[in-house]
Structure formats: structure tokens, C-alpha cells
Amino acid sequence: MVKLYNTLTRKKEVFKPISEGKVGLYTCGPTVYWYAHVGNFRSYIFADVLKRVLMYNGLEVKHIINVTDVGHLTSDADSGEDKLEASAARERKTASEISHFYFNAFQKDFEKLNLIEPFKWTWATEHIKEQIDMINILEKKGYTYKTSDGIYFDTSKFADYGMLSNKKICGLEAGASQHTPISTGVKRKIYLREKKNKTDFALWKFSGEPGERQQEWKSPWGLGFPGWHIECSAMSSKYLGKQFDIHTGGEDNMPIHHENEIAQSECAFGKKPWVKTWMHGAFLNIKGNKKMSKSAGKIMTISELERGGISPLAYRYFTYSAKYRKPLVWSDEAIKGAVDSYKRLKNIISGIENKGGMNKKYLKEFEERINDDLDMPGAVAVLWKLVRDEKAEGKIGTIKKMDQVFGLELLKEEVVDVPDDVQAIADERQKARDEKDWVKSDKLRDKLRGMGWAIKDRKEGYELGGDGNNIK
Ligand code: AMP
Ligand code: ZN
């Protein structure tokens, strides 16, 4: 029995899939105009843990993650530049070169964090027809209107608008929409006071001047490109059906993007609720409780972590120090603490002999934690209790099972590069052991320790360093 906090109902609920044994899961994915940072990955780790917990509970999960390669403007509403077009202009590349380059970088980091690949990565530009079809339905049902800048969704026609964030629609107040051409290089701003309501959003945007954009498509409304929000509704319904189980994203997606997804989907498909459970991950913040973001400039990528000697899995472990709905603050001390703790954990585990079996007591405690709205700090505490309990049985089998959810490769041996001088001392120590010279052997072990290396005696020979034993 898994309990999940549903943003829609503001309650922890017992999760029940629409089709028995199967879960449709959609995650708002990356906008591929630049490198993703460790904050972005906190959101994907949260989605991955959710997926692993559902799988652990015997459910079959069909997971879709979208790739935004058009239409996401610098503001989550409908103003500013298209991030992809702006990046292409800046780097003097095609939009497709940009999106593929940054997606490849993203996918490499995704793998390093041991995140399970989705059933499908759905690219916005590969689903233009589906998006146009959906806008057509909304138009036929009378939910849209046209401005000089595009086709807009009239939120005043959807009585439930704002249900996630408890936001009240502000009546027929005129809003502002802004169109900024990119490739001409001229920052021309045309403010259009044509939106009927502040909360109305673009479904389709017109191209503007010829040659202004690289990415544009023909549509019943003229040459243009889809607004950012429509892609998630069109693609999720294509692969998961017109009503599905769980939708995730970072907390910043909730008040605009997800409200808009709900409005257009419930109006087009007529299903209520369109998505049964909405889940939002809290931010990774930098000091001063500011969100780590590309625009704020202070970001850290997975590659930068690695260059600083922090493995991606140690970062994954670090994210478990807070529950997913609580902010987590990035600091050098906190991450260092997590790196040391993860190394120590793997080190201890590598020294545990596998005597077979399972430890039901600890496994039960662990399951209670993960099934209580993904309480990962609690689950990690159970894992530590287990590894430290000298009398506990079935440790290795239990750790292996827990790692199905942690995804920390707790039992994976690391290939460690052993320097020649360390190797020579280890060989000398082995010789001393063969000659039963225990005093010398112990001395040499201490010498190795002093150099930051641990050695373990095995039935045949010894093991040096492996599995994070390098305690340097
Ligand atoms: P983007 O590539 O900007 O569209 O963002 C991808 C995902 O990362 C979205 O779900 C965002 O909500 C999430 N996100 C962005 N910044 C942070 C952060 N500092 N901490 C956690 N999640 C974030
Ligand atoms: Zn989305």
C-alpha cells in the first residue's frame, strides 16, 4: 500500500491505479537549450524514486518524459524569447543542433545518476500534428480566441481554473503578451493588451516577421509554433491515454504550466480529473533560500561535480537527506558530508559477508518509510541501522532489495586504480602473511591505512581499495 501526497487534493492518499497493476506516469522534462543543473536533477531523482517505489510494489510503470525543444519562452507565461531559438542564435547553430547537443549531455547525466530510462522521450517538435489536433478540438468547443500574436485559451471558460494552486481567476482583466523577434537581433517589443484574462495562455503563437524564427510550422491559423503548455497534454494523452495516474514536475511547474495543462486537457478530453495524482518536487536551493537556476547564473552541473571529486551517485545520496517536498539547500559542507557518508556506507557494505537470506524486520521498516510518500531520509536511516546491527541476518540480500529503490549501486564493486607503490606494499604484506609473519603483516596494513588504503583478506589473496575502500 503506497501513500502519496496529491497536490490536487492536498492530502496523502492511498494510491490506486486506474487499471489494476499498471501506472501511467508523466514527468515534465528538460528544456534542451543549455546544460541541466543538479537542481533540475533533484526533480528527476524524485520522479525516479517514485517510479522505483511503484515498481517495488509490483506495479508496471509506463513512464513518459518530454523533451521541450520549442515554444518554452523565457517566462513560463507567454512573454520573452523562445529559449531554443535564442540559444541557437547565440551559439550560431541550428535549433536542432542545439536541442540534440544538450539532450545528449542531459541523457549522459541521467545515466550517471542511475535514473531509469523512460518508456519514451517525447520531443515537442516530433508531435506538432498532435498539438494542432488538440488546439483544433479546443477551438471547436469554443475555448479559444485569436489575438494578433496567436491563439489563446480563455481560462474564464474553465470554472475550475487554478485548482492546483488554489488560484482564483482574476476576472476579465486585460493581460500583457510580448513578442520578441530573435534572428533579426532587434529587441523589438510589441506589447499586446489583447488577452482577455491575465491567466489566459497561448496555444499557438504566430511566427512574426519572415525569417525571424528557425522553427515554424503551417497550421490552420497560419505559420507559427506551439505554446509550451500544449505539448505536455498532447503527448501524455497520446502515450498514456486521455486520463492517467500520475503527473510530476518541479514545484515551479505547478502554478502556471500545470494549471494550464489541466485546463486545456479537461476541456478537450472531458475527463475529470484528467490526472488523478499530481506530485511536485521541492527545489534545490542555494544559500539564502534561492532556487538554483540557469537564469540566476549560480548552477552546478553533474560534470562539474565529478571534476570536484563528487560522484553522481553521491549526489543522488545527498538528495535523500531531505524529503522530496522539502527544500534542500546546497552547501559545500552538506555535500561533503554526504559524499563521506556514502563512501563509508559502501565501504562497510563491501566488508559484509553474504550469508544469504533476507532480514524481514528491517525490510518491513524500510517499506513503511518508502510507502509513506517516499520518505527517503527515513529509508536511509533504516539502511544505516541495518548495516550497523552486528547481529542482523540476511544483510546483503536485504540491502540488494532496498537498492532497487535507492538506485545507489550499493553492492557494485568499483574499479579502483591502485598506484604501484600501494600495490607493492600490499604484495609484501601478502608475502608476510604467507610466511605467517603477523607482526609485519599488521604493520604493513597500518602503513597502507596511513596512505589512505584499506585492504581486505579474501579466501584467495586480498582485495585492495575496491568498492570505495580508498579512504583517502
Ligand atoms: P527546465 O529544463 O528548466 O524546464 O526544468 C526542468 C525541471 O527541473 C522542471 O521540472 C523544474 O521544475 C525543475 N527545476 C528547475 N530548477 C530546480 C531546482 N533548483 N530544484 C529542483 N528542481 C528544479
Ligand atoms: Zn510539462
Side-chain angles (χ1 to χ4, degrees):
M1 192 176 81
V2 190
K3 276 187 173 172
L4 300 173
Y5 181 85
N6 187 354
T7 312
L8 200 57
T9 57
R10 291 168 188 82
K11 276 200 286 265
K12 255 191 225 175
E13 297 170 341
V14 174
F15 175 69
K16 250 206 192 133
I18 297 168
S19 306
E20 212 186 314
K22 292 190 173 157
V23 183
L25 171 64
Y26 185 90
T27 296
C28 284
T31 307
V32 282
Y33 69 105
W34 206 32
Y35 295 104
H37 55 72
V38 291
N40 297 130
F41 279 110
R42 184 183 182 204
S43 285
Y44 302 118
I45 293 171
F46 142 63
D48 188 69
V49 166
L50 167 66
K51 178 173 171 177
R52 286 169 179 267
V53 168
L54 295 167
M55 286 161 65
Y56 185 99
N57 281 277
L59 296 160
E60 194 185 307
V61 182
K62 188 173 180 185
H63 190 198
I64 299 291
I65 306 183
N66 68 306
V67 179
T68 300
D69 55 345
V70 69
H72 194 174
L73 305 189
T74 42
S75 131
D76 277 359
D78 300 298
S79 60
E81 295 174 307
D82 181 322
K83 292 180 181 185
L84 254 293
E85 296 275 338
S87 183
R90 197 170 48 242
E91 296 193 26
R92 295 177 194 278
K93 300 240 170 72
T94 64
S96 162
E97 280 167 348
I98 291 288
S99 60
H100 284 85
F101 176 82
Y102 288 111
F103 177 71
N104 287 342
F106 176 84
Q107 207 177 19
K108 276 196 195 118
D109 290 348
F110 196 91
E111 258 173 45
K112 285 180 189 164
L113 286 162
N114 200 21
L115 301 169
I116 303 172
E117 282 268 314
F119 172 78
K120 195 171 170 63
W121 298 101
T122 59
W123 291 60
T125 56
E126 289 172 5
H127 295 82
I128 298 296
K129 183 184 173 298
E130 287 81 354
Q131 297 177 72
I132 291 177
D133 288 349
M134 193 166 165
I135 303 168
N136 257 325
I137 295 173
L138 291 167
E139 187 178 45
K140 286 208 179 82
K141 290 189 168 184
Y143 288 106
T144 65
Y145 64 91
K146 188 176 170 180
T147 72
S148 57
D149 154 269
I151 302 298
Y152 277 75
F153 184 94
D154 185 345
T155 50
S156 68
K157 297 206 165 144
F158 180 55
D160 288 337
Y161 190 85
M163 62 171 87
L164 274 183
S165 46
N166 235 351
K167 189 165 56 186
K168 293 275 172 288
I169 163 165
C170 324
L172 299 180
E173 184 188 319
S177 173
Q178 171 191 336
H179 172 73
T180 313
I182 295 122
S183 53
T184 58
V186 185
K187 289 254 150 57
R188 182 167 52 89
K189 289 180 179 170
I190 309 167
Y191 287 90
L192 301 164
R193 301 201 65 82
E194 295 175 36
K195 266 168 54 165
K196 292 185 184 170
N197 313 285
K198 213 173 180 177
T199 42
D200 293 353
F201 56 92
L203 297 165
W204 187 262
K205 298 266 273 186
F206 301 139
S207 275
E209 301 297 319
E212 235 178 66
R213 292 183 56 85
Q214 290 187 24
Q215 304 197 104
E216 54 191 4
W217 294 266
K218 284 187 189 142
S219 81
W221 314 281
L223 208 57
F225 60 100
W228 171 42
H229 316 293
I230 194 77
E231 67 174 80
C232 289
S233 295
M235 298 194 296
S236 60
S237 66
K238 175 166 179 175
Y239 298 101
L240 301 175
K242 291 192 165 47
Q243 189 179 41
F244 63 91
D245 298 290
I246 309 177
H247 194 312
T248 74
E251 59 182 332
D252 57 337
N253 288 157
M254 191 257 278
I256 299 177
H257 182 50
H258 290 166
E259 295 288 13
N260 296 351
E261 279 189 44
I262 291 176
Q264 65 203 6
S265 303
E266 295 205 351
C267 293
F269 309 140
K271 300 270 185 192
K272 250 185 197 310
W274 167 52
V275 172
K276 293 270 174 109
T277 307
W278 283 87
M279 296 179 72
H280 293 97
F283 285 145
L284 176 74
N285 288 330
I286 49 176
K287 266 184 193 146
N289 260 352
K290 279 198 215 113
K291 160 193 174 190
M292 182 180 282
S293 78
K294 298 172 201 176
S295 52
K298 281 226 165 201
I299 68 159
M300 179 75 87
T301 63
I302 296 294
S303 307
E304 281 164 346
L305 284 193
E306 286 181 296
R307 282 198 289 276
I310 300 166
S311 75
L313 291 182
Y315 173 68
R316 184 174 177 130
Y317 179 84
F318 167 68
T319 66
Y320 297 160
S321 53
K323 290 189 187 177
Y324 77 91
R325 288 197 288 130
K326 294 269 184 281
L328 177 64
V329 181
W330 175 274
S331 75
D332 292 346
E333 307 83 71
I335 185 80
K336 191 179 172 303
V339 168
D340 290 348
S341 171
Y342 177 62
K343 265 193 193 161
R344 213 164 45 242
L345 181 62
K346 281 202 67 163
N347 202 6
I348 298 173
I349 292 172
S350 74
I352 300 172
E353 201 186 326
N354 187 0
K355 294 184 187 155
M358 280 283 177
N359 191 301
K360 286 200 178 126
K361 174 178 158 269
Y362 283 107
L363 207 55
K364 185 166 173 284
E365 267 188 54
F366 167 79
E367 287 166 3
E368 275 167 12
R369 291 300 89 230
I370 57 168
N371 288 344
D372 182 7
D373 194 32
L374 325 176
D375 173 8
M376 297 311 281
V380 168
V382 176
L383 171 64
W384 271 107
K385 250 185 7 193
L386 168 70
V387 299
R388 284 185 170 136
D389 182 345
E390 282 173 13
K391 293 202 188 94
E393 287 176 1
K395 280 187 178 177
I396 292 295
T398 311
I399 292 166
K400 190 170 174 194
K401 182 123 176 90
M402 289 177 175
D403 205 30
Q404 288 174 8
V405 171
F406 288 125
L408 290 170
E409 300 195 331
L410 294 169
L411 294 163
K412 194 172 166 191
E413 296 275 325
E414 234 118 300
V415 182
V416 176
D417 236 351
V418 182
D420 290 347
D421 55 338
V422 173
Q423 188 68 63
I425 298 167
D427 287 343
E428 201 186 334
R429 178 178 170 272
Q430 186 59 39
K431 200 163 155 266
R433 280 178 62 79
D434 292 344
E435 290 163 3
K436 300 200 173 4
D437 186 346
W438 309 119
V439 177
K440 185 174 178 188
S441 139
D442 284 353
K443 258 193 190 156
L444 290 170
R445 187 186 54 208
D446 292 345
K447 189 170 178 187
L448 283 171
R449 262 195 208 291
M451 293 166 80
W453 289 82
I455 192 162
K456 268 182 263 117
D457 297 310
R458 299 287 187 220
K459 256 189 206 145
E460 287 166 19
Y462 61 85
E463 200 182 306
L464 238 190
D467 225 343
N469 282 338
N470 183 346
I471 48 171
K472 240 184 249 186

